[in-house]
Amino acid sequence: MPELPEVETVRRGLSALVVGQTITRVDVRLPRIVRFPSVDAFVSRLQGRQFKDIRRRGKYLLFDVEPYTLISHLRMEGQYRVVPEDEPKALHTHVVFGLANGMELRYRDVRQFGTMDVVAEGEPLPSGLVSLGPEPFDPNLTFQDLYSRIHRRMAPIKSVLLNQTVIAGLGNIYVDEALFLAGIHPLTGADKLRKTDCERLLQSIREVLTRAIDAGGSTIRTYADGYGRHGGFQMQLNVYGRAGEPCLGCGGEIEKIKLGGRGTHYCIHCQPRNGRKTRSKSMSAAASSEGFTP
């Protein structure tokens, strides 16, 4: 599933490609992608409108087409591409927005889990959007705030961080990577973390996300941006997808377990199960070797 860095990369690319363009037509090929309003009203609300801006909230894309907002959730494998209108449409292309410049904004979704809503001010927003926690880069989000959000939760810290009501935009890849940089075992109960742990954790979350955005996200399976380009952060991963390989920091083995049905990766030495370990010089060196200075 595209996480915050991938959705932010898509947002930036689409902003350059479609903001300022007028929607000349809308073709909904798979009606269930549209949740609100009806398909006919969806088309009517968008046709003839101009893309004014594209914003992101958590893993949602918000296209401003005044007086409406098109809210898009990519879910597992949703993709946007901007291509010439005469280019053959790829299989699983479900929604097409014709643009005044002769291009098309196409939404493709192999698994068909993505959703779209077009809402006016005062109309109900998708429940998942309403319940989102703060953005990781929100300057008002401090480690004390993070501590207050998690310290009464007895669930494993990884499960808590995946909860979008706690902090928005994090998914499996970047939670694993942030916990590694913070030296925190994914099974550690959230209620066991001290404020100093939360300070280190919030810093690690921001460091990982910044590096991932700079690299254009991670292409583990099918992710691509609006230009069709793949991300590059998968080449910088410290633990995710590296089960059985040596840790880049200490040389210990990367282990994989199942947690809440999700594959979870960690270093058996850098992230001790019983006890806390601050970021070691070797862990910092591993991060620096990938272009990041702690």
Side-chain angles (χ1 to χ4, degrees):
M1 175 187 293
E3 302 178 29
L4 187 154
E6 289 76 46
V7 179
E8 176 61 20
T9 300
V10 170
R11 184 199 70 79
R12 294 181 181 186
L14 292 182
S15 293
L17 292 169
V18 306
V19 167
Q21 290 297 318
T22 298
I23 303 169
T24 57
R25 55 187 166 76
V26 181
D27 179 15
V28 179
R29 299 169 149 228
L30 185 67
R32 72 167 176 267
I33 294 289
V34 176
R35 293 196 307 184
F36 181 86
S38 67
V39 171
D40 287 343
F42 179 89
V43 172
S44 178
R45 287 186 171 194
L46 293 176
Q47 200 158 280
R49 304 287 178 182
Q50 185 182 78
F51 286 114
K52 297 291 188 179
D53 194 13
I54 305 176
R55 297 173 288 126
R56 180 194 55 76
R57 180 74 172 96
K59 302 177 187 179
Y60 289 83
L61 286 170
L62 293 85
F63 298 79
D64 291 330
V65 283
E66 297 175 357
Y68 304 107
T69 301
L70 166 60
I71 302 169
S72 174
H73 199 319
L74 303 178
R75 300 290 178 182
M76 295 293 291
E77 295 192 16
Q79 298 178 347
Y80 279 102
R81 289 286 311 279
V82 178
V83 298
E85 60 184 4
D86 59 356
E87 180 174 309
K89 292 177 176 60
L91 190 64
H92 305 296
T93 297
H94 302 312
V95 183
V96 178
F97 304 89
L99 305 177
N101 64 354
M103 304 292 280
E104 289 183 341
L105 172 62
R106 298 178 182 177
Y107 177 75
R108 181 173 182 266
D109 191 341
V110 174
R111 296 201 181 188
Q112 304 177 6
F113 291 156
T115 61
M116 293 186 189
D117 300 77
V118 173
V119 301
E121 186 175 353
E123 290 182 333
L125 299 173
S127 59
L129 179 60
V130 173
S131 63
L132 283 178
E135 291 285 319
F137 294 110
D138 186 339
N140 294 317
L141 176 64
T142 66
F143 71 87
Q144 293 98 330
D145 295 325
L146 179 60
Y147 176 79
S148 68
R149 286 177 168 272
I150 71 173
H151 81 279
R152 290 190 177 92
R153 298 173 183 259
M154 299 176 65
I157 183 58
K158 175 168 182 180
S159 299
V160 171
L161 292 177
L162 289 175
N163 184 338
Q164 298 299 293
T165 68
V166 174
I167 189 166
L170 296 179
N172 207 36
I173 297 172
Y174 301 111
V175 170
D176 279 3
E177 292 296 308
L179 289 173
F180 169 76
L181 283 185
I184 298 172
H185 194 288
L187 292 178
T188 301
D191 61 323
K192 304 300 183 186
L193 296 185
R194 302 169 299 188
K195 289 185 178 180
T196 53
D197 299 318
C198 290
E199 183 175 19
R200 194 169 68 253
L201 177 57
L202 182 58
Q203 179 187 11
S204 296
I205 289 170
R206 288 170 170 166
E207 290 172 353
V208 167
L209 294 179
T210 296
R211 291 168 55 210
I213 292 170
D214 289 344
S218 301
T219 298
I220 302 299
R221 294 186 60 183
T222 60
Y223 161 74
D225 67 11
Y227 295 91
R229 301 175 301 198
H230 290 173
F233 191 64
Q234 66 274 10
M235 305 302 294
Q236 302 182 33
L237 297 173
N238 285 303
V239 290
Y240 184 87
R242 300 189 60 245
E245 297 180 25
C247 172
L248 299 176
C250 73
E253 184 177 354
I254 302 298
E255 188 161 319
K256 178 181 180 180
I257 58 174
K258 284 284 187 179
L259 178 57
R262 309 294 295 276
T264 297
H265 308 77
Y266 65 97
C267 172
I268 59 176
H269 296 306
C270 295
Q271 298 165 264
R273 179 70 180 91
N274 297 310
R276 300 173 175 84
K277 182 173 182 178
T278 57
R279 185 183 306 174
S280 66
K281 291 182 179 179
S282 57
M283 292 169 69
S284 297
S288 288
S289 69
E290 301 296 348
F292 169 71
T293 302

